[in-house]
Amino acid sequence: PLTFSRRDPKKMYYANQKMFRTRDGGQHWDTISPDLTRENPAVPKNVDANTAANNLGTGPRRGVIYAIAPSPLDAKLVWTGTDDGLIWRSPDDGAHWQNVTPAVLDAWSKVGMLEASHFDAGTAYAAIDRHRLDDRHPYLYRTHDGGRTWKNSVTGIRDGDFVNAVREDPVRRGMLYA
């Protein structure tokens, strides 16, 4: 993913397994995180042995940072999510990272999108896609306490309609689009 800061238009973030930041139009990049993916993700039962063994020589890590959500309220607050089921929060623009993953997320739960709230810096939303685990239930987690606790909030989404994206209405507090 590649995204601009919502508070500082000269700051842009890019990620693979690590997060990078530029403040000068991409002329110089700072690495602002360690590898934020799972060190040793388990292989799901629904993956055949040949596929599980094929890691292209890269070792046990298979994930990437898949979502970046800079806060529109706090220029230093950044959320990230990986395609191997981790959610991280940095309150200081990448100097320190806190793993705030909901306990129910496991490897192969893709954080398809994160949304930092327009109304409260402690609130964020995560759209989770688990179709690689043959799980087509909707998962849309929200936190109001900076990631300490999460609740699945899928009222109005039919079971079987999995979620890949979430956005908060920038004007109407409490209105989400998925």
Side-chain angles (χ1 to χ4, degrees), residues 74-145:
D74 181 345
K76 293 185 176 191
L77 178 59
V78 183
W79 300 79
T80 65
T82 67
D83 69 343
D84 58 7
L86 295 175
I87 298 176
W88 296 84
R89 179 182 185 271
S90 175
D92 50 16
D93 203 28
H96 301 92
W97 290 90
Q98 303 159 340
N99 184 339
V100 296
T101 305
V104 296
L105 287 190
D106 54 9
W108 303 83
S109 298
K110 180 178 77 175
V111 180
M113 185 178 283
L114 285 168
E115 175 82 340
S117 176
H118 296 85
F119 303 102
D120 173 36
T123 297
Y125 306 93
I128 308 299
D129 174 2
R130 292 175 45 90
H131 83 272
R132 295 182 296 181
L133 297 168
D134 294 331
D135 180 351
R136 297 198 179 272
H137 300 289
Y139 298 96
L140 190 110
Y141 288 95
R142 68 179 158 101
T143 182
H144 293 301
D145 56 12

Side-chain angles (χ1 to χ4, degrees), residues 55-71:
N55 67 10
L56 301 175
T58 60
R61 288 193 170 196
R62 297 172 183 251
V64 295
I65 296 170
Y66 201 83
I68 305 170
S71 172

Side-chain angles (χ1 to χ4, degrees), residues 154-178:
V154 293
T155 303
I157 301 174
R158 293 180 309 196
D159 195 32
D161 290 341
F162 63 93
V163 178
N164 250 327
V166 61
R167 288 288 187 224
E168 179 185 57
D169 190 296
V171 177
R172 223 171 128 189
R173 189 179 196 131
M175 174 65 78
L176 296 179
Y177 302 94

Side-chain angles (χ1 to χ4, degrees), residues 2-94:
L2 179 71
T3 188
F4 282 97
S5 165
R6 294 180 179 179
R7 299 285 301 174
D8 180 353
K10 293 185 180 196
K11 190 186 316 179
M12 184 170 61
Y13 300 96
Y14 165 76
N16 53 30
Q17 290 83 5
K18 298 178 180 182
M19 282 277 294
F20 303 92
R21 177 190 59 220
T22 184
R23 294 181 178 143
D24 61 6
Q27 296 298 311
H28 302 92
W29 290 88
D30 299 313
T31 303
I32 62 168
S33 81
D35 189 326
L36 296 177
T37 64
R38 287 185 191 269
E39 190 168 339
N40 237 334
V43 176
K45 293 174 186 166
N46 63 326
V47 173
D48 65 89
N50 288 336
T51 301
N54 183 10
N55 67 10
L56 301 175
T58 60
R61 288 193 170 196
R62 297 172 183 251
V64 295
I65 296 170
Y66 201 83
I68 305 170
S71 172
L73 301 174
D74 181 345
K76 293 185 176 191
L77 178 59
V78 183
W79 300 79
T80 65
T82 67
D83 69 343
D84 58 7
L86 295 175
I87 298 176
W88 296 84
R89 179 182 185 271
S90 175
D92 50 16
D93 203 28

